Amino acid sequence: MAGAALKRLMAEYKQLTLDSPEGILAGPLSEENFFEWEALITGPEGTPFEGGVFTTRLVFPPDYPLSPPKMRFTCDMFHPNVYPDGRVCISILHAPGDDPMGYESSAERWSPVQSVEKILLSVVSMLAEPNDESGANVDASKRQRDQSTGTTLDLEDLDAETSVSPSQATIVCTP
């Protein structure tokens, strides 16, 4: 199965190099291992993440695309849908099938027709429109819900309880 996964990842990498979505750069960490990628995501305009460049790591299973990759930010990220350790929590990265908690429909979850590009575009969308009802980071979710205007986090209100300062979150995240 790893041969099919490698072939698919090579094809997706080729496609991304030919026609990468604006604000996204992604590829394998090395030519020897196509199962571990780094992606740079530019923060969406009109959000607290605007102007930032955020590094992420994707690790693909040997049975990709039957199973989704794991994704995490390699920098500090204060966001309702990012666990404190950087893991990304969005439906497209959840294993295929029915949600045991009944929150997501199977159509929202991973399927083999998804791609690296769709994952990265979903993360950009997640940065622009956090889902505070399905929070991976309870503090960020609460802060988001407590906001009286807009749909984005106000990073200027971050305090000593969080590990991310506004400058870290809005300029450049580094490992």
Side-chain angles (χ1 to χ4, degrees):
M1 185 53 103
L6 178 60
K7 186 175 179 180
R8 167 80 180 257
L9 287 167
M10 291 174 80
E12 288 192 46
Y13 176 59
K14 182 178 180 181
Q15 179 59 36
L16 281 171
T17 59
L18 296 174
D19 187 25
S20 186
E22 185 177 337
I24 294 174
L25 181 62
L29 286 174
S30 75
E31 290 184 14
E32 288 79 40
N33 182 7
F34 263 76
F35 289 87
E36 192 167 345
W37 289 31
E38 180 175 69
L40 302 175
I41 299 172
T42 303
E45 289 183 23
T47 73
F49 303 102
E50 181 177 1
V53 177
F54 305 96
T55 56
T56 65
R57 183 82 32 101
L58 291 111
V59 178
F60 298 89
D63 67 343
Y64 180 80
L66 298 177
S67 296
K70 303 289 184 204
M71 183 176 185
R72 70 176 187 85
F73 282 91
T74 58
C75 58
D76 287 337
M77 175 61 74
F78 188 72
H79 187 283
N81 308 116
V82 178
Y83 287 98
D85 67 0
R87 286 178 295 135
V88 176
C89 180
I90 55 174
S91 299
I92 194 174
L93 292 175
H94 295 161
D98 292 328
D99 179 5
M101 306 303 271
Y103 181 76
E104 302 166 327
S105 75
S106 60
E108 295 173 302
R109 298 167 70 90
W110 179 259
S111 77
V113 300
Q114 305 294 2
S115 65
V116 174
E117 180 179 349
K118 289 178 185 176
I119 293 167
L120 297 173
L121 290 171
S122 293
V123 170
V124 170
S125 182
M126 175 199 79
L127 291 175
E129 298 177 27
N131 178 0
D132 63 18
E133 297 301 318
S134 177
N137 183 321
V138 175
D139 292 334
S141 295
K142 182 179 181 328
R143 197 173 300 256
Q144 174 69 29
R145 281 191 301 271
D146 289 347
Q147 299 256 314
S148 59
T149 60
T151 60
T152 57
L153 295 169
D154 183 357
L155 294 179
E156 298 301 322
D157 290 339
L158 291 178
D159 54 31
E161 293 178 27
T162 65
S163 63
V164 182
S165 70
S167 63
Q168 285 175 303
T170 59
I171 299 184
V172 177
C173 274
T174 56

